[in-house]
Amino acid sequence: MGLAGSTLPAVLPQVLTATLSNNSSVMLVGKYSHGPVKLFAGYEFIRYAPPSNPFAPLTGFVDIGGEFVCAGCAAINNTNINNTAFNAGDKLFHVFWTGVKYAVTDNLDVTGAYYHYDQPRFGVPVDCADTAAFSNCHGTFDAVSFVADWQFAKKFDTYAGLMFSQVNGGLANGFLHRNSIDPTVGLRFRF
């Protein structure tokens, strides 16, 4: 049974989408403890490069998790091989974080942390006046978090926290809101 003059939408198979790239990274991390205070910090450098082994546009493949990724139904962004955005320079990503954890008592810890992501401009030149309009413009992400964790029994603890984050420039591409406040509370059982 059909409706005159209308076309029913096609139902696509449930597949996983993917963007193919060769990724390489290096990380440097550190932690220092003195009495009730623990300091930690880290840096990670990530390079996204065009894939060295592109997949045929119609066959798809099974990923390392056993999920089928469909190439023929346009779910794979396999254009990075001939994409001038990549050929004009690999996408680079810098991640920094630091924080402090303080043991108020034997059963109560408070933690504060700061996170910063930095994406340099990459690819073909675009007008980055409205930097959120293009994902290949320079962009940053900054976040501050706080959490209190109370271990009220040997294997149980409860926690409450808050994170404020802000995304800018090219990293804001696709975001509806550039700022967010994310509260969390929970109860944890440790095995």
Side-chain angles (χ1 to χ4, degrees):
M1 179 176 191
L3 301 172
S6 66
T7 306
L8 296 176
V11 178
L12 295 175
Q14 296 297 313
V15 295
L16 182 67
T17 61
T19 298
L20 304 179
S21 64
N22 284 358
N23 304 340
S24 56
S25 67
V26 63
M27 184 183 297
L28 177 65
V29 296
K31 182 171 79 168
Y32 173 76
S33 298
H34 183 71
V37 176
K38 289 183 183 175
L39 304 172
F40 50 93
Y43 166 74
E44 182 175 14
F45 171 79
I46 308 168
R47 178 184 304 273
Y48 301 94
S52 58
N53 183 15
F55 288 87
L58 298 175
T59 59
F61 62 94
V62 175
D63 70 5
I64 61 174
E67 298 291 330
F68 179 71
V69 181
C70 175
C73 59
I76 293 180
N77 177 1
N78 200 20
T79 60
N80 291 339
I81 297 164
N82 299 314
N83 186 339
T84 55
F86 265 81
N87 290 338
D90 297 341
K91 178 179 178 180
L92 307 177
F93 204 61
H94 305 274
V95 181
F96 307 88
W97 67 94
T98 188
V100 60
K101 181 177 183 178
Y102 181 74
V104 178
T105 68
D106 288 342
N107 298 337
L108 177 64
D109 295 327
V110 292
T111 304
Y114 169 71
Y115 311 87
H116 176 77
Y117 303 171
D118 184 78
Q119 171 191 278
R121 183 175 176 165
F122 68 96
V124 295
V126 295
D127 179 12
C128 286
D130 177 13
T131 57
F134 299 99
S135 62
N136 64 332
C137 291
H138 175 259
T140 60
F141 168 88
D142 292 284
V144 178
S145 67
F146 302 96
V147 67
D149 189 342
W150 176 45
Q151 185 176 355
F152 61 90
K154 184 176 181 177
K155 294 193 175 227
F156 286 93
D157 66 311
T158 186
Y159 55 89
L162 182 72
M163 177 180 266
F164 171 77
S165 63
Q166 179 177 353
V167 64
N168 295 299
L171 288 178
N173 182 272
F175 279 74
L176 294 177
H177 304 284
R178 294 187 184 194
N179 301 322
S180 68
I181 297 174
D182 304 303
T184 185
V185 294
L187 176 68
R188 183 170 37 214
F189 172 74
R190 299 174 195 254
F191 292 96

